[in-house]
């Protein structure tokens, strides 16, 4: 199975800050990587697919980059509504494994 | 509008069985692979199972292999998860998700406890 190592596990930042989350795969995943936002009591919401493509309707302050095994998710200017847990997921090979999640809070 | 609505969750004793359903609407169901993903209370997301459009390809996480069975009825636009020999560690919210993971249901809670 492909292991996804996501960091940090939690993060506190101020409104307007640039926030970065990383995800490292245990093997190359051909950029088959999703990033999700999940708010309490809700289903995950797809933000980024294929490592760097912004899903329709998602604000442009969200972005993704990376290739091979190392990927980055960035919020360019943190907003109060971005408080959530964020997950990466590889879909290069079954089982489609998720990272452990990053809980993002406002400082 | 794509809608996925799960049902069938509840409280069940260890060793018991439960069948989850996911009713799909707003899109042509049959061509799409479908997935079950679960989330234990306070924990992360875990992919559980996938089924292709014509049920030709079926895959399971090792943690549920031999106990869970995924199926679908394209005539009824429905996805199912038959869960047998349930364990406490199967306690979770179970989500169905369409291939591509753009569309998820609201989830149904399964609690395995005596």
């Amino acid at each position: 199975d492909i292991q996804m190592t996501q960091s940090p596990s939690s993060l506190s930042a101020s409104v307007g800050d640039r926030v970065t989350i990383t995800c490292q795969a245990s093997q190359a995943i051909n950029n088959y990587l999703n990033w999700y936002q999940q708010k309490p009591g809700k289903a995950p919401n797809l933000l980024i697919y294929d490592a760097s493509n912004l899903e329709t309707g998602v604000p442009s302050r969200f972005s993704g980059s990376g290739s091979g095994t190392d990927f980055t998710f960035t919020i360019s200017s943190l907003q109060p509504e971005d408080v959530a847990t964020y997950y990466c997921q590889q879909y290069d090979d079954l089982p489609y494994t998720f990272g452990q999640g990053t809980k993002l809070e406002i400082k | 509008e794509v809608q996925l609505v799960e049902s069938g969750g509840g409280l069940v004793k260890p060793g018991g069985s439960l069948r989850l359903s996911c009713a799909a609407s707003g899109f042509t169901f049959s061509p799409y692979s479908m997935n079950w993903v679960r989330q234990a209370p306070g924990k992360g997301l875990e992919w559980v199972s996938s089924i292709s459009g014509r049920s030709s390809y079926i895959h399971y996480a090792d943690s549920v292999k031999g106990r869970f069975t995924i199926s679908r009825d394209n005539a009824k636009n429905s996805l199912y998860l038959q869960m047998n020999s349930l364990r406490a560690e199967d306690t979770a919210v179970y989500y169905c998700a369409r291939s591509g993971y753009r569309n998820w249901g609201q989830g149904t809670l399964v609690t395995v406890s005596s």
Side-chain angles (χ1 to χ4, degrees), chain B residues 6 11 19 26 30 53 56 63 68 70 74 83 92 94 96 99-101 103-104 107 111 114:
Chain B
E6 301 94 339
L11 175 64
R19 189 195 197 207
S30 55
S56 304
S63 57
F68 289 12
I70 191 171
N74 288 341
M83 304 187 295
Y94 285 74
C96 64
S99 64
Y101 297 90
N103 306 102
W104 297 62
T111 303
S114 55

Side-chain angles (χ1 to χ4, degrees), chain A residues 36 38 42-43 55 87 94, chain B residues 39 47 59 95 101-102 105:
Chain A
Y36 300 91
Q38 187 180 32
K42 300 293 188 182
E55 177 65 1
Y87 294 93
L94 287 162
Chain B
Q39 186 169 36
W47 171 84
H59 303 276
Y95 296 101
Y101 297 90
R102 286 177 171 82

Side-chain angles (χ1 to χ4, degrees), chain B residues 5-104:
Chain B
V5 179
E6 301 94 339
S7 61
L11 175 64
V12 61
K13 289 182 169 53
S17 298
L18 213 53
R19 189 195 197 207
L20 305 184
S21 300
C22 172
S25 62
F27 67 102
T28 303
F29 183 67
S30 55
Y32 287 91
S33 294
M34 296 294 295
N35 308 277
W36 288 101
V37 176
R38 68 183 180 183
Q39 186 169 36
K43 302 296 184 183
L45 299 164
E46 180 189 15
W47 171 84
V48 172
S49 184
S50 294
I51 185 168
S52 62
R54 294 185 180 184
S55 305
S56 304
Y57 301 99
I58 288 175
H59 303 276
Y60 298 99
D62 287 345
S63 57
V64 307
K65 202 171 292 183
R67 301 187 299 120
F68 289 12
T69 301
I70 191 171
S71 63
R72 63 191 294 162
D73 185 335
N74 288 341
K76 294 183 178 179
N77 292 338
S78 293
L79 173 72
Y80 306 102
L81 188 67
Q82 177 67 44
M83 304 187 295
N84 298 332
S85 303
L86 282 161
R87 307 166 178 166
E89 54 265 34
D90 296 318
T91 295
V93 174
Y94 285 74
Y95 296 101
C96 64
R98 198 177 77 168
S99 64
Y101 297 90
R102 286 177 171 82
N103 306 102
W104 297 62

Side-chain angles (χ1 to χ4, degrees), chain A residues 35-94:
Chain A
W35 288 98
Y36 300 91
Q37 177 191 68
Q38 187 180 32
K39 296 186 176 180
K42 300 293 188 182
N45 180 40
L46 179 67
L47 301 179
I48 303 288
Y49 64 95
D50 292 347
S52 61
N53 292 305
L54 191 67
E55 177 65 1
T56 302
V58 174
S60 59
R61 65 180 180 274
F62 297 101
S63 65
S65 64
S67 63
T69 61
D70 296 307
F71 300 90
T72 300
F73 172 80
T74 299
I75 305 174
S76 60
S77 178
L78 185 65
Q79 300 302 304
E81 61 266 33
D82 299 337
V83 169
T85 301
Y86 293 83
Y87 294 93
C88 62
Q89 179 205 23
Q90 67 81 19
Y91 50 100
D92 180 64
D93 193 23
L94 287 162

